[in-house]
């Protein structure tokens, strides 16, 4: 077990951070949220050029041959910058689901296309789906792929959807190109502005079968578990940004003739937040280092609460400026709130921990 | 020396010193002399000048052999020893460290006073020079294990005309001196783990001064830093601490289960697991030569979780939670947070956010030293101690 960051991870972080500092400035990120292009696909291309999009894909499948530890470092930085890129959908959910399928030619070429940025993919499943529950069966495969899935993350820029569908003898997983008459991706007004969700409607769409009844369920559930564990690192990045930004502001902002950061009522709140982050970091690193149900649920139960609390404190302790559209705090609050529902709420993950903790209901 | 060599050395030691036939104390003394007491201490003082984390190799090899019961001598191990090591003279190190480690001599900490707790630098116990000696007069409170202690680390005021921090000097006090009077202080648990200590011209040879005259505050900082680390980062297996105790109680009382208690317990269990991981992470940081301030966060979380878990446990017991095991005034010779019954654990845990620096003071320290937030305006640091309002 290694809960620290390796030198290689530090280097990776530095290059991702450089890119994001340069290309995902807060003002630009805010401005983009109200355009017709909510995703920054130029930034996405640059991330793929860094190899950051196929990190945990083995080298023999065309990836970087790294692990979830490195993916987690990228997630931290993306959380810290709330950059609008389809990383969770394409590099985590879809990629991990593909890694859970038999490496057929179709799977290989999809992994290649995702890793190179040629195609963007996502898993056509509501972002609110918790791992460890039965995979939803909104889509059926009996006569073409038909059905509707609400609130899918990163569907808007997707070229291909990985669709879990209920067939005659169980769950199947299909690769469904978006550019066909039977597929509709409908934007919705999303709480999270920088990872907007969308609804997916299939009407006798065609797709390629990637995994049949035996393999589809574990591939999809495995992707959800991995994504839940990695989401904790994004939440850590969000919380770190909120704490650092608030500390900096309170050192600078004067009221009553002194920096407001010298008032003990605020110092104690920030000290507590820092303490929460110490625990959150250990839990997130553990989930990245040893992906699994126990580590993912511990990390989710903790980090989603900590990130949300950090974002709420950030808004409150900024006073009026924290309520504005102009200040980026709201982007973090919206992301943190959406993340607290994504891939299982904290309460759901606590329940999932009951058997691990030997604390039966 | 690498890990394998240390392991070999430990095995050789064990081959030569059979704990099943040897007197317990003789075994511990031999272990100290072999450098296997605390390997990060210098050679000749119970150590081998090795990195601290290599101690685990020795502990693994010597598991099950007689130990020095850290719960009985925690203050000596965690606070007196590192301070003596950092500031003691060669004679002091030679004289005190060995019997401290073997547990032959118990230590206590004479810092807090009725008028000086969080604001330790305000303390008023006087140290007056008398030839080659010092005479100590004053009162200390909340002194854990003063009733079992042979020696004390003591901070006293040698000059009341200096500002509060500058007028302090640090000493080693012989608790058997006739000028020392120890009286039990009964706690909310019913027992008296701590004491009041009165000093009336208690005599301390100048040779028992730790650090220079006027350096008391600096020396005390070393003690306090070690206290916080000692409390916060104790290694524990999953469920080895309070969460394991309370989970066990939960399983034994299915008749009192409710969804609300279940969720609260799972929440506390999860946080305890994260605290355990944070401890592992902190030790990995130390091993990598990059210690961080995370220990203070761990002490905060430890106190909070101990209190919430034990509070939940009492609630979980239903009508058994209305009873207490024993209010008799006892003077225990060790500190055990998870010992006795739920009611005791609940009450004892209240001390976790007070002893070793209160949680409020710890938050001040984190805010100022870790986050770099500005200090509160102060009026007490430049004035002569004797002129401070009190
Ligand atoms: C079980 C136990 C064992 C102990 N063992 C020992 C021992 O062996 N040796 C020893 O020397 N001492 C010991 N202590 C004493 C302990 O270190 C002190 O109680 C502690 O430092 C607090 O001091 P105080 O009791 O004077 O409280 P005070 O300092 O008077 O504090 C009262 C309240 O004010 C708060 N407060 C104080 N200053 C500030 C501030 N600047 N900002 C915000 N809040 C503040 C405190 O947090 C507390 O809530 C022990 C205490 C306990 C409970």
């Amino acid at each position: 077990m290694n809960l620290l960051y390796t030198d290689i991870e530090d280097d990776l972080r530095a290059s991702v951070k450089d890119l994001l500092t340069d290309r995902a400035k807060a003002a630009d990120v805010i401005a983009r949220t109200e355009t017709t292009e909510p995703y920054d696909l130029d930034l996405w291309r640059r991330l793929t050029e860094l190899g950051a999009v196929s990190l945990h894909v083995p080298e023999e499948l065309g990836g970087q041959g790294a692990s979830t530890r490195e993916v987690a470092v990228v997630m931290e930085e993306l959380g810290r910058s709330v950059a609008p890129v389809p990383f969770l959908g394409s590099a985590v959910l879809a990629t991990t689901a593909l890694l859970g399928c038999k490496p057929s030619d179709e799977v290989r070429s999809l992994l290649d296309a995702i890793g190179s940025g040629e195609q963007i993919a996502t898993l056509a499943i509501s972002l609110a789906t918790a791992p460890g529950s039965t995979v939803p069966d909104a889509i059926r495969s009996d006569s073409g792929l038909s059905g509707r899935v609400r609130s899918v993350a990163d569907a808007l820029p997707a070229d291909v959807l990985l669709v879990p569908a209920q067939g005659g003898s169980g769950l199947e997983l299909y690769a469904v190109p978006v550019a066909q008459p039977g597929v509709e991706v409908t934007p919705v007004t999303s709480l999270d502005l920088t990872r907007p969700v969308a609804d997916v409607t299939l009407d006798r769409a065609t797709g390629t079968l990637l995994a049949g009844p035996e393999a589809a369920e574990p591939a999809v559930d495995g992707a959800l578990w991995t994504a839940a564990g990695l989401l904790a690192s994004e939440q850590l990045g969000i919380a770190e940004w909120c704490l650092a930004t608030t500390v900096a502001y309170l050192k600078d902002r004067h009221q009553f003739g002194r920096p407001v950061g010298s008032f003990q009522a605020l110092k104690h709140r920030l000290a507590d937040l820092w303490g929460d982050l110490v625990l959150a970091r250990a839990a997130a690193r553990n989930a990245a280092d040893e992906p699994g149900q126990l580590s993912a649920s511990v990390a989710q139960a903790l980090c989603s609460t900590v990130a949300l609390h950090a974002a709420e404190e950030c808004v409150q302790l900024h006073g009026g400026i924290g309520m504005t559209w102009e200040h980026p705090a709201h982007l973090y609050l919206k992301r943190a709130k959406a993340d607290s529902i994504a891939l299982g709420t904290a309460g759901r993950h606590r329940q999932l921990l009951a058997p691990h903790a030997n604390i039966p209901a | 020396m690498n890990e394998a060599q240390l392991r070999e050395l430990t095995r050789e030691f064990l081959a030569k010193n059979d704990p099943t036939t040897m007197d317990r104390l003789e075994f511990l003394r031999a272990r100290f002399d072999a450098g296997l007491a605390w390997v990060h201490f210098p050679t000749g003082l119970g150590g081998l000048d090795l990195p601290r984390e290599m101690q685990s190799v020795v502990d693994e090899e010597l598991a099950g052999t007689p130990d020095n019961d850290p719960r009985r001598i925690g203050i000596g191990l965690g606070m007196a020893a590192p301070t003596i090591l950092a500031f003691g003279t060669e004679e002091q190190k030679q004289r005190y460290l060995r019997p401290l480690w073997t547990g032959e001599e118990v230590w206590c900490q004479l810092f807090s006073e009725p008028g000086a707790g969080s604001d330790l630098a305000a303390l008023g116990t006087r140290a007056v020079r008398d030839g080659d000696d010092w005479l100590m007069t004053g009162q200390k409170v909340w002194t854990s294990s003063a009733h079992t202690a042979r020696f004390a680390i003591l901070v006293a005021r040698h000059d009341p005309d200096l500002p509060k921090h500058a007028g302090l000097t640090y000493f080693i006090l012989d608790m058997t001196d006739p000028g020392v009077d120890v009286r039990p202080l009964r706690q909310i648990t019913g027992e008296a783990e701590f004491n009041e200590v009165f000093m009336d011209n208690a005599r301390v040879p100048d040779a028992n001064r730790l650090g220079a005259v006027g350096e008391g505050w600096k020396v005390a900082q070393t003690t306090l830093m070690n206290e916080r680390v000692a409390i916060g980062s104790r290694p524990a297996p999953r469920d080895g601490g309070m969460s394991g105790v309370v989970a066990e109680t939960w399983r034994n009382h299915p008749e009192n289960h409710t969804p609300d208690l279940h969720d609260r317990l799972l929440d506390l269990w999860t946080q305890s697991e994260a605290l355990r991981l944070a401890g592992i992470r902190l030790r990995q940081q130390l091993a990598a030569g990059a210690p961080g301030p995370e220990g203070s966060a761990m002490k905060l979380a430890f106190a909070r979780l101990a209190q919430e878990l034990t509070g939940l446990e009492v609630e979980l017991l239903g009508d058994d939670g209305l009873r207490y095991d024993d209010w008799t005034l006892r003077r225990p010779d060790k500190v055990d947070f998870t010992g006795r019954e739920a009611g005791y654990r609940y009450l004892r845990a209240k001390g976790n956010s007070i002893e070793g620096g209160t949680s409020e003071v710890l938050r001040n320290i984190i805010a100022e030293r870790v986050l770099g937030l500005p200090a509160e305006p102060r009026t007490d640091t430049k004035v002569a101690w004797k002129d401070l309002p009190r």
Side-chain angles (χ1 to χ4, degrees), chain A residues 94-170:
Chain A
T95 299
T96 313
L98 288 169
L99 291 174
C101 299
K102 249 199 359 257
S104 59
D105 288 348
E106 180 68 21
V107 166
R108 284 169 181 274
S109 73
L110 263 174
L111 282 170
D112 268 347
I114 293 171
S116 66
E118 204 182 300
Q119 294 209 308
I120 291 170
T122 195
L123 189 61
I125 199 165
S126 161
L127 184 58
T129 312
S133 44
T134 41
V135 176
D137 54 357
I139 310 280
R140 309 202 55 83
S141 68
D142 7 31
S143 53
L145 294 159
S146 299
R148 181 156 182 261
V149 190
R150 279 165 55 88
S151 304
V152 179
D154 296 337
L156 285 176
D159 305 295
V160 55
L161 300 169
L162 300 195
V163 178
Q166 208 60 40
S169 46

Side-chain angles (χ1 to χ4, degrees), chain A residues 264, chain B residues 109 111-112 117-118 142-144 194 354-355 358 360 364:
Chain A
Q264 194 177 58
Chain B
Q109 177 195 17
F111 280 27
S112 305
S118 300
W142 331 125
T143 318
S144 308
F194 55 33
I354 301 171
E355 58 201 324
T358 69
E360 288 76 21
N364 291 346

Side-chain angles (χ1 to χ4, degrees), chain B residues 232-269:
Chain B
S233 59
R234 217 171 282 160
R238 182 177 297 146
D239 288 335
M242 202 63 88
S243 66
V245 172
V246 181
E248 173 80 28
T249 305
W250 169 268
R251 289 190 290 275
N252 292 336
H253 288 272
E255 72 283 6
N256 293 331
H257 289 188
T258 64
D260 156 62
L261 287 176
H262 191 228
D263 189 57
R264 274 168 61 199
L265 179 55
L266 286 168
D267 185 18
L268 295 171
W269 184 90

